[in-house]
Amino acid sequence: MIFMQEYITLLKKTVLFKNLTETEIKDFLQKTYPVIKKYKKDSFIINAGGEVTEICVLTQGKCHIIKEDLSGARNIVAEVTGGDIFAEALACAGVKRSPVAVRAVMDCSVLMLRFANLLTYEGGGKNKILNNLVTLLARKNVFLNNKIEHICKRTIREKLLSYFYERKLESGGSKFSIPFSKTDLADFLFIDRSAMSRELSNMKKEGLIDFDGSFFIINKKAGYID
């Protein structure tokens, strides 16, 4: 049974438990019996093809939601960091065979909540949690729609600029960081890493962008500036 203060403090900051009091969260944890599981770096939290019955809260670490094509090439669907929630759509949909896998990219700790226990829970915070779950699913849908917009661009340059412009809007300025390494960025945008590296170098030479590691600047010359 989990009701330690450290988890309550973390859960209060998540979308799923927004506007719930500590008392409501503690009652929920006591009556729905979530479990904490530990995963080593490079291990799989969810396996592709497996059944998913639990909503997962990443309490520590970082993981990638990935999908492999028929050739074995890896595509990153999304990155999950501490405090993020994942697998909620799969659990809600009652998916028998997950189309994606979730892999730990560093040691991870995950709080797992059985969706069936949420449905049968009768505590005072239930309606808030269900409303928050709808909000969470809607936000994930917007995220995936934005990603589709990026990867549907015709050229590597257009894909990169589309993604960088989204990051610019999120950061509120032309300087921003990305949560991916260059290899992971290529996997996220479904493009060849070597070709992407060449294009990034060309864009830098042309004055469209500048970058140092994961920090980027998108310039007015790129044409994606309001």
Side-chain angles (χ1 to χ4, degrees):
M1 187 179 300
I2 300 170
F3 51 88
M4 293 175 61
Q5 186 62 40
E6 61 180 294
Y7 294 118
I8 294 175
T9 301
L10 173 67
L11 292 175
K12 281 190 68 176
K13 299 177 182 178
T14 67
V15 175
L16 189 61
F17 293 92
K18 183 180 179 181
N19 296 326
L20 270 75
T21 65
E22 289 194 5
T23 300
E24 288 173 327
I25 295 174
K26 184 175 181 179
D27 181 73
F28 176 79
L29 295 178
Q30 288 175 323
K31 294 178 179 177
T32 56
Y33 311 108
V35 296
I36 286 285
K37 293 184 180 180
K38 306 286 187 178
Y39 296 89
K40 293 293 186 181
K41 179 182 177 181
D42 294 328
S43 62
F44 283 90
I45 300 170
I46 293 175
N47 290 299
E51 184 176 7
V52 178
T53 60
E54 296 163 318
I55 297 173
C56 301
V57 182
L58 187 66
T59 59
Q60 185 177 8
K62 181 168 69 174
C63 58
H64 285 164
I65 301 173
I66 60 176
K67 186 174 179 62
E68 292 187 352
D69 60 25
L70 294 177
S71 67
R74 182 193 68 162
N75 296 316
I76 297 177
V77 177
E79 180 174 79
V80 183
T81 56
D84 287 345
I85 294 168
F86 62 97
E88 71 286 349
L90 298 174
C92 291
V95 172
K96 297 297 183 183
R97 292 178 56 84
S98 173
V100 298
V102 180
R103 175 176 168 270
V105 296
M106 61 176 64
D107 290 352
C108 290
S109 175
V110 183
L111 183 149
M112 294 189 162
L113 164 68
R114 289 187 65 84
F115 181 60
N117 291 352
L118 167 58
L119 293 180
T120 57
Y121 173 65
E122 295 298 337
K126 181 176 182 177
N127 286 339
K128 294 179 186 178
I129 295 173
L130 291 177
N131 287 335
N132 290 339
L133 182 58
V134 172
T135 298
L136 181 62
L137 291 169
R139 289 182 180 179
K140 293 290 181 71
N141 186 53
V142 171
F143 168 81
L144 291 175
N145 282 336
N146 287 340
K147 181 173 182 179
I148 290 171
E149 182 177 348
H150 303 327
I151 65 177
C152 283
K153 300 297 184 183
R154 292 183 179 274
T155 68
I156 293 175
R157 178 171 296 196
E158 289 174 344
K159 293 174 192 282
L160 289 167
L161 286 175
S162 178
Y163 175 68
F164 291 158
Y165 185 60
E166 180 187 0
R167 298 298 299 178
K168 169 192 174 293
L169 293 178
E170 290 176 352
S171 69
S174 60
K175 299 179 181 180
F176 54 87
S177 63
I178 65 173
F180 300 114
S181 66
K182 297 297 192 303
T183 298
D184 290 341
L185 177 60
D187 288 342
F188 180 74
L189 294 175
F190 297 0
I191 51 184
D192 178 77
R193 183 183 184 279
S194 296
M196 186 193 75
S197 294
R198 288 194 298 271
E199 190 60 47
L200 284 172
S201 295
N202 290 335
M203 292 166 68
K204 187 173 184 178
K205 290 177 183 177
E206 295 172 26
L208 304 181
I209 62 171
D210 196 6
F211 58 88
D212 181 14
S214 62
F215 293 93
F216 283 77
I217 299 174
I218 184 169
N219 298 318
K220 291 183 178 180
K221 192 175 180 180
Y224 268 77
I225 305 297
D226 290 335

